[in-house]
C-alpha cells in the first residue's frame, strides 16, 4: 500500500508533518459557524435594541476582528455558556472609538463596518494587515461619500483610511456596478439609520444573508427581482430593530474543503450536518456533481431565516469541465478548492472570468496556480481564466514549500491535497492563516481520518 501523509498543523507556529497511512475519510461532523453570517449576526445585533444571544458563532480571527471593533465602538459583548451575548445600542448607537479599528485580514469587517459607522457622528480610522491594506476600498467608500460621509483613503483606494460619519446622510439610489455582497451589505447597514428611501440595485444577485437576517428581525423593506437578473432593494429608514436570539448555520465554504477531501480520497464516505444551504452559497456543489461527484443534499430545518441541511459525500471518479464566467459571483470563495478537485479529475478544467479573484486575500489566480504547481500539477492562468490538466491516477507529491501568501483558502486547499500526497506538505506560513476562517480544520480532519 502506498504510504500517505497528512500535514498536522500546530497552530503555535510550527508545522509538524506526521507520516500516517490514510485509508479513507469516514464519519459525521458538524461544520463550524458560517463566516459571512457570523459577521452580520454580530453587527446587526449591535445595531438592534436589547440583548441577543448568538449560538454557534464562528470563533475565527476574522470574526474576532469584527467583534473587537464593535466593542471599541461601545457595544458590550460577552461569552456566556458557549453563546455570545450582544447588548445592542441601536442603529445610531456607536460611540467615538479611542483607537484605530483593526480589521486584521478581514475584507468583510472593513467594508461592512464602514457602512455601519457612516451614519453615526463619529470619526474612525480603519487599519488592516498587509494583505487587507492592498485590497480596494473605494468600491464601498464611493457610495458612502455620495450620501454625505467624509472619507480619506491611502493612495486614494486603500486602508489605512479615516471616515467621518454624518447624522444627516442622504437617502439615494445606489447602482452597484459589480456583483459584491460586501458593497451591498455596507449600503444596507447605512440605510438602516438614514431618514427616507435608500434604493439599491445590484447587477446580479449576491449572497443575501444581510437581507435574510433583517427579514428575520422583522425589518420591513422591499426586495424585487428585476428582468435583467439583478435585484432592487428599497429600505425606508430609520429602523428600530428589536433584538432576537440568533443561530449561525455551518459554513458551506469551509465544508467545501472536507467535501473535496472525501471526493478525492478513495473509499471515503462522510456526512456533514447543519450546513447552510443558501442557494447563493452552494453553487460549488452543483459544479462538483457535474464533475461526477457523488453528493447528496438533504434540507433539514430553517434557523434564523436560513435553510440548513445534511450533505453526504462518497469518494468519486471526477471529470474535468468548463466553468463559465457568469457563475463566478456564486463560486468566488471556492475556486481554490475546486481547483484541487480539477487536479484529480480526468481531462481539462477551465475556470473562466475570475477577475475578482485578483482582489481577495491574495491574488487568487496567481496563488491557486502556484499552489497546484508546487504539487507538479499542470495548471496555468490565461488572462483571468485558470486551466488545469487533471489526472486521477498520477502520483501526488509536494515538490516544494507551498507559498500561501497568508491566504487561508490556499493553505486549506493545499492541506486537502496533502491527504493524497505521497510526501509531507509544507506551507510557508505553517498553516497559521487557516485560523482566519477555519480554526478547527485539523480537529475536524482528525475525526474523519481512518488510518
Ligand atoms: C463576503 C462576500 C464575498 C466573499 C467574502 C465574504 C461577505 O465578497 O468573497 O469572502 O460576507 O459578504 P464579495 O461579495 O464582495 O465579492
Amino acid at each position: 500500500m502506498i504510504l500517505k501523509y497528512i500535514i498536522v498543523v500546530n497552530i503555535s507556529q510550527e508545522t509538524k508533518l506526521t507520516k500516517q497511512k490514510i485509508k479513507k475519510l469516514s464519519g459525521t461532523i458538524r461544520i463550524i459557524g458560517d463566516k459571512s453570517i457570523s459577521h452580520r449576526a454580530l453587527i446587526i445585533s449591535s445595531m438592534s435594541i436589547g440583548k441577543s444571544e448568538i449560538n454557534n458563532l464562528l470563533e475565527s480571527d476574522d470574526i474576532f476582528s469584527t467583534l473587537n471593533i464593535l466593542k471599541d465602538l461601545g457595544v458590550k459583548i460577552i461569552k456566556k455558556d458557549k453563546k455570545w451575548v450582544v447588548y445592542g445600542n441601536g442603529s445610531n448607537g456607536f460611540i467615538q472609538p479611542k483607537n484605530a479599528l483593526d480589521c486584521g485580514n478581514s475584507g468583510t469587517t472593513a467594508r461592512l463596518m464602514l457602512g455601519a459607522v457612516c451614519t453615526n457622528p463619529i470619526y474612525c480610522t480603519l487599519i488592516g494587515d498587509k494583505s487587507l491594506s492592498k485590497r480596494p476600498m473605494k468600491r464601498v467608500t464611493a457610495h458612502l461619500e455620495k450620501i454625505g460621509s467624509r472619507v480619506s483613503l491611502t493612495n486614494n483606494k486603500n486602508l489605512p483610511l479615516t471616515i467621518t460619519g454624518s447624522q444627516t446622510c442622504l437617502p439615494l439610489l445606489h447602482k452597484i456596478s459589480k456583483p459584491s455582497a460586501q458593497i451591498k451589505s455596507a449600503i444596507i447597514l447605512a440605510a438602516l439609520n438614514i431618514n427616507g428611501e435608500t434604493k439599491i440595485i445590484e447587477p446580479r444577485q449576491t449572497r443575501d444573508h444581510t437581507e435574510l437576517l433583517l427579514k428575520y428581525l422583522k425589518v420591513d423593506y422591499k426586495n424585487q427581482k428585476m428582468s435583467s437578473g439583478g435585484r432592487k432593494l428599497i429600505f425606508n429608514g430609520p429602523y428600530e430593530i428589536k433584538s432576537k436570539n440568533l443561530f449561525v448555520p455551518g459554513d458551506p465554504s469551509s465544508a467545501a474543503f472536507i467535501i473535496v477531501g472525501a471526493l478525492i480520497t478513495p473509499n471515503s464516505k462522510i456526512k456533514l450536518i447543519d450546513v447552510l444551504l443558501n442557494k447563493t452559497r452552494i453553487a460549488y456543489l452543483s459544479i462538483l456533481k457535474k464533475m461526477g461527484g457523488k453528493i447528496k443534499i438533504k434540507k433539514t430545518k430553517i434557523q434564523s431565516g436560513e435553510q440548513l441541511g445534511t450533505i453526504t459525500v462518497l469518494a468519486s471518479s471526477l471529470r474535468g469541465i468548463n466553468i463559465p464566467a457568469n457563475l463566478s459571483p456564486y463560486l468566488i470563495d471556492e475556486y481554490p478548492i475546486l481547483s484541487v478537485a480539477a487536479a484529480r479529475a480526468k481531462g481539462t478544467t477551465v475556470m473562466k472570468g475570475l477577475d475578482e479573484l485578483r482582489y481577495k486575500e491574495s491574488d487568487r489566480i496567481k496563488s491557486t496556480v502556484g499552489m497546484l504547481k508546487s504539487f507538479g500539477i499542470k495548471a496555468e492562468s490565461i488572462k483571468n481564466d485558470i486551466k488545469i490538466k487533471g489526472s486521477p491516477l498520477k502520483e501526488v507529491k509536494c515538490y516544494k514549500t507551498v507559498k500561501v501568501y497568508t491566504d487561508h483558502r490556499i493553505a486549506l486547499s493545499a492541506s486537502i491535497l496533502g491527504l493524497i500526497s505521497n510526501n509531507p506538505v509544507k506551507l510557508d506560513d505553517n498553516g497559521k492563516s487557516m485560523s482566519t476562517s477555519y480554526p478547527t480544520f485539523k480537529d475536524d480532519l482528525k475525526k474523519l481520518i481512518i488510518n
Side-chain angles (χ1 to χ4, degrees), residues 39 42 60-72 101-106 109-110 113 127 132:
H39 285 294
L42 284 170
S60 79
D61 291 353
D62 270 14
I63 300 307
F64 283 121
S65 295
T66 292
L67 192 149
N68 289 327
I69 286 177
L70 291 166
K71 281 185 177 175
D72 289 344
L101 305 175
D102 189 353
C103 305
N105 187 247
S106 174
T109 304
M113 285 315 304
I127 57 170
L132 185 58

Side-chain angles (χ1 to χ4, degrees), residues 157-210:
K157 55 180 184 197
N158 301 125
L159 297 187
L161 67 77
T162 60
I163 180 161
T164 310
S166 161
Q167 273 176 303
T168 53
C169 278
L170 300 170
L172 296 182
L173 166 68
H174 298 265
K175 281 191 184 159
I176 303 176
S177 57
K178 51 179 93 238
S180 161
Q182 294 180 348
I183 303 174
K184 172 180 66 177
S185 299
I187 304 170
I188 295 176
L189 292 173
L192 295 178
N193 192 31
I194 294 176
N195 210 324
E197 272 192 355
T198 298
K199 298 184 181 123
I200 304 166
I201 295 179
E202 59 174 349
R204 313 265 309 279
Q205 185 175 25
T206 58
R207 62 185 73 186
D208 57 354
H209 309 305
T210 310

Side-chain angles (χ1 to χ4, degrees), residues 79-337:
K79 190 169 183 188
K80 203 178 153 205
D81 309 327
K82 288 190 178 172
K83 290 177 190 159
W84 286 89
V85 188
V86 181
Y87 295 84
N89 292 334
S91 59
N92 59 353
F94 294 127
I95 60 162
Q96 177 59 47
K98 290 197 182 75
N99 301 310
L101 305 175
D102 189 353
C103 305
N105 187 247
S106 174
T108 312
T109 304
R111 298 192 179 116
L112 268 56
M113 285 315 304
L114 282 168
V117 298
C118 78
T119 60
N120 286 245
I122 55 175
Y123 168 88
C124 304
T125 301
L126 268 69
I127 57 170
D129 71 4
K130 209 170 141 194
S131 143
L132 185 58
S133 300
K134 285 192 209 145
R135 297 176 64 189
M137 292 296 145
K138 199 136 191 178
R139 48 178 66 193
V140 171
T141 59
H143 290 279
L144 306 182
E145 282 184 296
K146 220 169 70 175
I147 59 173
S149 51
R150 274 187 290 128
V151 182
S152 163
L153 293 142
T154 300
N155 302 326
N156 202 27
K157 55 180 184 197
N158 301 125
L159 297 187
L161 67 77
T162 60
I163 180 161
T164 310
S166 161
Q167 273 176 303
T168 53
C169 278
L170 300 170
L172 296 182
L173 166 68
H174 298 265
K175 281 191 184 159
I176 303 176
S177 57
K178 51 179 93 238
S180 161
Q182 294 180 348
I183 303 174
K184 172 180 66 177
S185 299
I187 304 170
I188 295 176
L189 292 173
L192 295 178
N193 192 31
I194 294 176
N195 210 324
E197 272 192 355
T198 298
K199 298 184 181 123
I200 304 166
I201 295 179
E202 59 174 349
R204 313 265 309 279
Q205 185 175 25
T206 58
R207 62 185 73 186
D208 57 354
H209 309 305
T210 310
E211 295 93 305
L212 291 178
L213 194 49
L214 289 172
K215 194 170 166 200
Y216 180 69
L217 292 169
K218 303 216 171 349
V219 169
D220 189 22
Y221 66 91
K222 292 194 186 92
N223 187 343
Q224 300 162 349
K225 200 171 173 182
M226 299 196 310
S227 52
S228 59
R231 297 198 89 93
K232 183 174 185 180
L233 301 167
I234 306 173
F235 286 85
N236 195 352
Y239 294 93
E240 250 196 30
I241 308 170
K242 207 167 158 280
S243 60
K244 253 184 171 180
N245 292 343
L246 303 175
F247 178 86
V248 181
D251 194 322
S253 303
S254 296
F257 298 103
I258 306 293
I259 290 171
V260 171
L263 288 173
I264 66 171
T265 309
N267 306 313
S268 295
K269 181 176 181 180
I270 59 152
K271 198 191 251 189
L272 306 175
I273 56 173
D274 287 346
V275 186
L276 173 71
L277 295 182
N278 179 312
K279 68 175 189 329
T280 64
R281 297 289 302 282
I282 55 167
Y284 77 88
L285 290 174
S286 310
I287 296 291
L288 289 172
K289 278 188 187 180
K290 249 191 172 165
M291 294 175 79
K294 292 177 190 150
I295 300 173
K296 276 207 179 114
I297 306 166
K298 195 173 157 229
K299 290 182 182 171
T300 52
K301 55 191 162 191
I302 293 179
Q303 269 183 315
S304 301
E306 294 274 9
Q307 179 70 57
L308 272 67
T310 302
I311 302 176
T312 311
V313 188
L314 294 179
S316 308
S317 302
L318 301 175
R319 52 185 174 271
I321 58 165
N322 280 332
I323 306 180
N326 66 345
L327 288 181
S328 73
Y330 308 104
L331 298 170
I332 197 75
D333 291 337
E334 284 80 40
Y335 284 112
I337 190 62

